[in-house]
Amino acid sequence: MKSLKFLAAEGFVLSGPSAGKNLSCLSYDLYPILFKASYLQEAAEVLHDLVAMWPLTELNLHRLLGRTPDCQTDLTSRTCRLCLTALLTGLRDYVLNAPTTYAKVLRVVDLTGLQDIEHQACPCRRTLGRWARTDLLTRMCYETLVAMQAGQSAPSAFELQVDVQLDAFVTGRNYEVVTQALLLVKHCPLKVRCVGLRMDSLALKNLFYLLRLAEPKGLRKLEVVHNVRLEAPHLEVMFSQLQFPQLRSLTLPAQALDVRRLGSADEGLLGVLGELMSKMKELRELYLGFSTLTGHLRQVLSPLETPLQCIELANCSLSPVDMAYLANSLHSEFIVKLDLSGHVVADLFPNTFRKLLHRCSATLTSLGLEECGLADDNLDLLTNAIAPCRGLQELKILGNPLSTAALHHLFNMLAQDYSALRYIELPVPRDCYSEDAAYPLDDSTLLMYDHAKFHQARAELVGILERAGKGYVDVCTPLLGVYDPDIRETSNELGVSMLRSFNNVIDNFIDTVTNVSERREQSMRE
C-alpha cells in the first residue's frame, strides 16, 4: 500500500527534467520519501540530485528503502545498478559542489542494509553487487580527492567529513583501488568505514595489510573465504597482532584449521586460538566449514566466555568426543543456527546429537543436516531430535537417502506445530534413484534420477503443507547449490585463481618427478 503522500512523491520524480531543478524548493523532511520514490521508479537522475543536495545528517539505506508508513514495499533487496551508481556519484558530488538551499550537515552514510538476491525486480534488471559497490565507492573517494587537488571543488569540501559504512568485498582484482582509498582516508572527506569485510583470492601479505588498513577495531563481520591459504599459525599471528573488539561474525576458509597438519610443536595451537578468540567479547557467529577438527573442538570453543549463536561445523570430521563436548557446552543452550552437514550422526553420535538439539530447542531456527546418511532406519532419530524445536524456520536435509514414504512422515510432522517454518531443502527421495546408487552421491549420479517420480513426490509433500495452511513454506531442491551472490559476482576471478593453484600443484608435481628421475639416472651411472 502507498499513501497519498508517497503517490505525490512518485508523481514529482516522474515529472521530467524539472524535478531535479525544483528540489531546492522542497522542505528537507520530504527528501527521505522522495529518495524511496526515486529508487522505486528507477529515476536515477533525480536520485543523484537528491543525494548531491542531501539536507539531513544521516543517509541510511535500510531505513530509507525498508518498509515505511508511506510505502510498505521493502526495496532493500533491490540492488539496482542504475540507482546505486546514481547514489554513489551523487555522494561524490555532494562533497565537491557548493551548498545550495541547505547547509551540508551529512555525517553518516550507511550502505550496509542491502541484501543481494538472484532475481532483481528493478526495471533495468541489472545489479550492483557487493564487490562492485566496494569498487565503485572507493573509486568515488579517489575521484573526489583528485578533483580537490585540481581545484575543481568548492571550499566547503575541505571542511566535510562523511563516514561511509560499508560491507566491503575485496579480491585481487579490486585490491589496489580499495587499499588506495583506505590509505588516503585521513585526507578524503568520504571516509570508508568497513563494518563488514569479505576477502577472497588474496595473497596472505595482502590480506594482513588490508586488515590493518580497514581498522579491525570497527569490524563487526569478517569473512576469509575460498582461495586464501590461511592456516592455524597465520591465524595466531592475526589474532595476536590485531584486535577485534566489535567482531560478531567470523568465517574461516576451508581447512584453515586442520589437526592433521599440526606437528608435536603445534599441539596446543588450537587452544591458543581459542584463548585469542575469547578476547572477542561480541563474537556470536563462527563458521568453520570444511576444517578438520577431529577430537579438538573443545580446544577451540571452550575458552569462549560468550556463547555462540551460529555454529557451522559442516564436514569438520567431528568425533563422538567433539559432539559430547558441544552437547554439554556453554553454547548448546543458545544456538540459533547449526550446521552439522557431512557427519553420519546416526552412526557417530546419535544420543549426543539428540541431546544437543533438545538443549538448543528453545532458540534453534536453522538446522543443516546435508549428507548425514539419514535413511529410513534413522527417521525416528531425526524426528525425535527436532520434536521440541518448535521455532525452527529452516531445515536443510539434502543428500540423505530418505524414501518418499519417510519424507511423507516427516512432512506430516512439520505441518502440525512448526508455525515458524519458512524454508525446507528437500532431498530427492531414495526411490527416485536406481537401486545401486551409493550415498553420498557423486557428481555423475546426482542428476540421474526419475524426474517425473520426483515431481510427483514433491507435489504430494507440498500438498501436505498446503492442507495444513503452510503453503507459504518454500520447498526447494538445489542439487547444484544455493545461489551465492558473492560467488556469482566474482566467479571468473575465482575460477582463474583456482586454475592457477591447480597449475602450481601440477608444476610442483612435475618438478618433483623430474628431480626423482634425475637422481635415479645419476645413481644408475654411479
Side-chain angles (χ1 to χ4, degrees):
M1 291 291 291
K2 299 176 183 178
S3 68
L4 289 175
K5 184 179 178 181
F6 192 85
L7 291 172
E10 285 185 304
F12 177 85
V13 302
L14 294 174
S15 61
S18 62
K21 298 176 182 178
N22 293 330
L23 285 175
S24 59
C25 304
L26 299 178
S27 173
Y28 69 92
D29 56 356
L30 292 176
Y31 276 63
I33 195 171
L34 287 169
F35 184 97
K36 187 170 185 179
S38 301
Y39 204 97
L40 180 61
Q41 295 299 327
E42 210 174 79
E45 292 184 8
V46 179
L47 191 64
H48 169 277
D49 294 343
L50 277 166
V51 176
M53 300 171 61
W54 197 253
L56 305 172
T57 58
E58 183 183 47
L59 195 158
N60 185 309
L61 285 189
H62 183 73
R63 292 176 186 166
L64 290 169
L65 299 179
R67 297 181 186 276
T68 59
D70 291 300
C71 179
Q72 292 296 310
T73 305
D74 188 341
L75 302 179
T76 54
S77 61
R78 188 178 290 193
T79 52
C80 171
R81 177 175 288 271
L82 277 177
C83 291
L84 290 173
T85 300
L87 188 159
L88 294 175
T89 55
L91 195 57
R92 174 201 60 197
D93 294 340
Y94 174 88
V95 172
L96 297 177
N97 296 340
T100 53
T101 306
Y102 298 104
K104 291 182 179 291
V105 296
L106 182 61
R107 295 294 176 265
V108 178
V109 176
D110 190 340
L111 304 177
T112 62
L114 296 174
Q115 178 186 1
D116 295 285
I117 60 173
E118 185 172 5
H119 302 292
Q120 287 296 312
C122 60
C124 77
R125 301 291 180 183
R126 298 176 62 212
T127 183
L128 195 73
R130 179 153 58 141
W131 184 93
R133 294 195 294 272
T134 303
D135 186 71
L136 182 57
L137 173 62
T138 50
R139 290 184 189 279
M140 290 302 101
C141 293
Y142 180 71
E143 289 182 15
T144 300
L145 269 178
V146 169
M148 291 171 65
Q149 294 269 336
Q152 298 171 357
S153 65
S156 59
F158 294 89
E159 301 171 3
L160 290 175
Q161 289 192 20
V162 182
D163 285 347
V164 186
Q165 298 177 359
L166 175 72
D167 280 327
F169 183 8
V170 184
T171 65
R173 194 153 47 102
N174 67 347
Y175 170 79
E176 293 293 339
V177 68
V178 173
T179 52
Q180 191 175 54
L182 293 174
L183 270 171
L184 299 172
V185 71
K186 291 183 179 179
H187 309 286
C188 183
L190 295 176
K191 302 185 180 301
V192 178
R193 307 296 187 194
C194 295
V195 176
L197 179 59
R198 179 184 175 96
M199 294 180 285
D200 192 355
S201 302
L202 287 179
L204 283 179
K205 63 177 183 179
N206 293 343
L207 180 145
F208 278 94
Y209 184 55
L210 178 63
L211 268 177
R212 287 187 179 278
L213 291 178
E215 299 182 5
K217 289 185 178 181
L219 278 177
R220 294 201 289 264
K221 185 174 184 178
L222 176 61
E223 300 170 272
V224 185
V225 296
H226 305 307
N227 201 40
V228 179
R229 297 180 180 178
L230 189 68
E231 299 181 7
H234 308 131
L235 286 169
E236 182 185 12
V237 174
M238 186 171 83
F239 294 157
S240 299
Q241 296 187 1
L242 302 175
Q243 295 182 342
F244 301 89
Q246 296 186 46
L247 194 68
R248 290 187 57 85
S249 178
L250 175 63
T251 301
L252 299 181
Q255 296 305 320
L257 305 180
D258 188 345
V259 297
R260 299 169 300 180
R261 296 178 186 165
L262 301 180
S264 56
D266 302 318
E267 187 174 345
L269 182 55
L270 294 185
V272 171
L273 291 179
E275 292 291 343
L276 291 170
M277 286 193 294
S278 70
K279 297 177 182 179
M280 306 174 192
K281 301 300 184 182
E282 298 299 319
L283 190 65
R284 298 293 186 276
E285 303 176 5
L286 187 58
Y287 299 91
L288 301 175
F290 292 90
S291 284
T292 302
L293 297 170
T294 313
H296 292 73
L297 186 64
R298 177 190 292 271
Q299 294 182 39
V300 178
L301 299 187
S302 64
L304 304 183
E305 299 174 3
T306 306
L308 294 171
Q309 295 175 349
C310 299
I311 307 178
E312 184 198 4
L313 297 169
N315 299 283
C316 284
S317 301
L318 300 182
S319 68
V321 172
D322 295 316
M323 184 55 68
Y325 159 72
L326 188 58
N328 293 282
S329 70
L330 164 74
H331 313 285
S332 62
E333 295 184 350
F334 297 89
I335 298 175
V336 175
K337 183 177 181 180
L338 176 66
D339 193 343
L340 295 172
S341 298
H343 296 95
V344 185
V345 293
D347 294 343
L348 290 172
F349 30 65
N351 293 328
T352 46
F353 166 69
R354 185 188 299 110
K355 180 178 180 179
L356 174 61
L357 291 195
H358 283 201
R359 291 200 65 179
C360 67
S361 60
T363 56
L364 189 68
T365 64
S366 178
L367 178 62
L369 296 171
E370 299 180 22
E371 296 189 345
C372 284
L374 293 169
D376 290 15
D377 294 343
N378 315 125
L379 184 62
D380 286 344
L381 170 64
L382 175 61
T383 55
N384 289 337
I386 67 173
C389 304
R390 302 299 185 184
L392 201 62
Q393 297 175 13
E394 297 181 346
L395 179 62
K396 304 174 183 180
I397 52 173
L398 281 178
N400 288 291
L402 292 165
S403 68
T404 301
L407 290 168
H408 269 259
H409 181 82
L410 176 62
F411 270 62
N412 276 314
M413 174 185 172
L414 295 173
Q416 298 308 312
D417 300 316
Y418 295 81
S419 58
L421 192 63
R422 292 296 182 273
Y423 180 80
I424 301 174
E425 286 187 5
L426 170 72
V428 175
R430 176 68 184 86
D431 41 293
C432 291
Y433 286 103
S434 62
E435 293 184 2
D436 58 348
Y439 283 77
L441 300 165
D442 56 34
D443 292 341
S444 61
T445 310
L446 186 64
L447 301 177
M448 301 299 291
Y449 60 91
D450 188 327
H451 289 254
K453 191 172 183 179
F454 167 68
H455 289 306
Q456 180 182 350
R458 183 186 181 282
E460 293 171 358
L461 295 169
V462 170
I464 293 173
L465 296 175
E466 289 176 343
R467 286 191 293 275
K470 290 186 170 64
Y472 50 80
V473 177
D474 184 10
V475 180
C476 62
T477 306
L479 293 178
L480 301 179
V482 296
Y483 176 75
D484 187 319
D486 296 318
I487 291 179
R488 177 73 172 271
E489 190 177 14
T490 57
S491 57
N492 291 338
E493 183 177 3
L494 181 59
V496 169
S497 298
M498 293 178 68
L499 183 59
R500 285 175 181 166
S501 298
F502 177 73
N503 288 337
N504 289 337
V505 171
I506 294 297
D507 289 342
N508 293 336
F509 176 72
I510 292 173
D511 290 342
T512 302
V513 172
T514 303
N515 291 335
V516 170
S517 298
E518 289 175 352
R519 287 199 298 270
R520 282 180 178 173
E521 289 177 3
Q522 185 175 356
S523 62
M524 290 176 67
R525 288 171 188 165
E526 295 173 353

